[in-house]
Amino acid sequence: MKKISFLFAFVIASATLVSCGNDNATSKINKGNLENAKTRDAEIKKGTASVSLDKKEYDFGTVNEGDIVETVFKVTNTGKTDLVITNATGSCGCTVPVWPKAPIKPGETGDVEVKFNTSGKPNRQMKTVTLTTNTESGREILTLKGSVTPKAK
């Protein structure tokens, strides 16, 4: 009985392997996917985007509580492919960044505008903005620092 079961399994396995060889694999290739892969591979070979900042830190000095501090960080793409900033997050709700949503081409510059509301933030302050990018590190950190003179009570 074991011999018959083994023979039957062998015949089925052989038939399955032989029947798979009848189709031409190249006829199953989707030409659109092939072109997309070639384009993607060409972009990958260019390398990652790279960021150069005019400043990583902004010292706003001494301001009065309630003032709104504003600055602009110049972001230059020094890489060989488009720089994409997918997100910019302040370290708290008082720090609000506005970043370019469109890709920054190699050699071009974009502005990241940051506003810091000093209301309720007396004394020495240091706030950060984290940019999520398609660079090798994946993020860049911008810093605002200074002193806020408290309101008289």
Side-chain angles (χ1 to χ4, degrees):
M1 187 69 170
K2 281 186 172 182
K3 289 181 181 180
I4 293 175
S5 297
F6 178 74
L7 182 62
F8 184 69
F10 178 74
V11 170
I12 290 177
S14 297
T16 303
L17 290 174
V18 172
S19 67
C20 290
N22 292 340
D23 291 333
N24 184 357
T26 57
S27 66
K28 296 179 180 181
I29 295 175
N30 182 333
K31 302 291 183 196
N33 289 346
L34 188 59
E35 290 302 316
N36 287 342
K38 285 180 183 178
T39 305
R40 180 200 64 223
D41 290 347
E43 282 295 314
I44 290 171
K45 286 181 182 176
K46 288 181 183 177
T48 60
S50 184
V51 171
S52 175
L53 298 162
D54 66 334
K55 61 187 176 223
K56 282 192 163 215
E57 187 175 278
Y58 174 67
D59 187 341
F60 58 84
T62 302
V63 297
N64 294 319
E65 184 177 350
D67 291 350
I68 295 180
V69 175
E70 297 181 31
T71 189
V72 175
F73 292 90
K74 299 278 186 193
V75 179
T76 303
N77 181 357
T78 56
K80 296 181 180 179
T81 187
D82 290 356
L83 169 66
V84 179
I85 302 173
T86 55
N87 196 15
T89 308
S91 55
C92 70
C94 60
T95 308
V96 180
V98 177
W99 68 96
K101 307 300 189 271
I104 301 170
K105 301 283 184 199
E108 293 184 1
T109 300
D111 292 342
V112 177
E113 301 171 8
V114 181
K115 292 183 181 180
F116 168 51
N117 185 349
T118 62
S119 293
K121 306 286 182 196
N123 305 317
R124 190 84 182 130
Q125 295 294 318
M126 187 167 100
K127 303 297 178 187
T128 61
V129 173
T130 303
L131 303 178
T132 306
T133 64
N134 65 332
T135 59
E136 190 172 328
S137 67
R139 67 182 186 150
E140 302 294 326
I141 298 178
L142 311 174
T143 306
L144 286 86
K145 67 178 187 175
S147 293
V148 179
T149 304
K151 288 182 180 178
K153 293 184 179 183

